Amino acid sequence: MKKLFALILLSTLAFAEVETEGYIGLDSQFYSKKDSKHSYNLTLQQQLKLTYTNEALSSVIELYAQEDSTDITSKKDNDRTFVRINEAYLLYEYDEDQILFGKNIRFWGALEANNIVDTFNIQDSRNDPLRTDKIGAYNFEYSHYFEESEFSLI
């Protein structure tokens, strides 16, 4: 059974394309010394996005992980160390139609930096209270493309 599973996995990968992208970042912040608060903070961030494409079917998963130095050095947990799945969806494209199912992030236009009317995407402010990170929302989308326009049902 294990050999059959390995053969299926290898044959699937042979006829498909797998893409990997990501980043690693380190943020440091220093504060004026207060009795009730720590004086510095180091935050390590990692993001990994895997895309699997086989003809008309694509699958995407995006992971985000963050480790905070105050969670490690202090006994008080401030919930800034976490791992989450930002996106995990299947996308099927054929002729002039597209079907998407799963958890993904929607971008609504030019005002993405501070879009106060974006009620679709879930916001996470654990990273920085002044900067919000978008987390994908579970949804289903059907799109049909015309010559100069498109119709989408989300």
Side-chain angles (χ1 to χ4, degrees), residues 22 45 75 96 104:
Q45 304 166 351
K75 295 178 181 174
E96 297 171 349
N104 72 326

Side-chain angles (χ1 to χ4, degrees), residues 7 59 100 114 138:
L7 180 64
S59 64
L100 183 140
N114 188 15
Y138 292 100

Side-chain angles (χ1 to χ4, degrees), residues 8-49:
I8 292 172
L9 181 63
L10 287 175
S11 64
T12 302
L13 290 176
F15 297 107
E17 181 179 329
V18 178
E19 295 178 29
T20 305
E21 59 184 271
Y23 73 87
I24 297 175
L26 179 65
D27 289 337
S28 62
Q29 299 171 344
F30 293 91
Y31 311 103
S32 60
K33 183 72 173 170
K34 295 183 178 179
D35 294 334
S36 62
K37 190 166 176 127
H38 51 276
S39 61
Y40 70 92
N41 184 36
L42 295 173
T43 305
L44 179 66
Q45 304 166 351
Q46 306 97 53
Q47 182 173 336
L48 175 66
K49 185 173 186 176

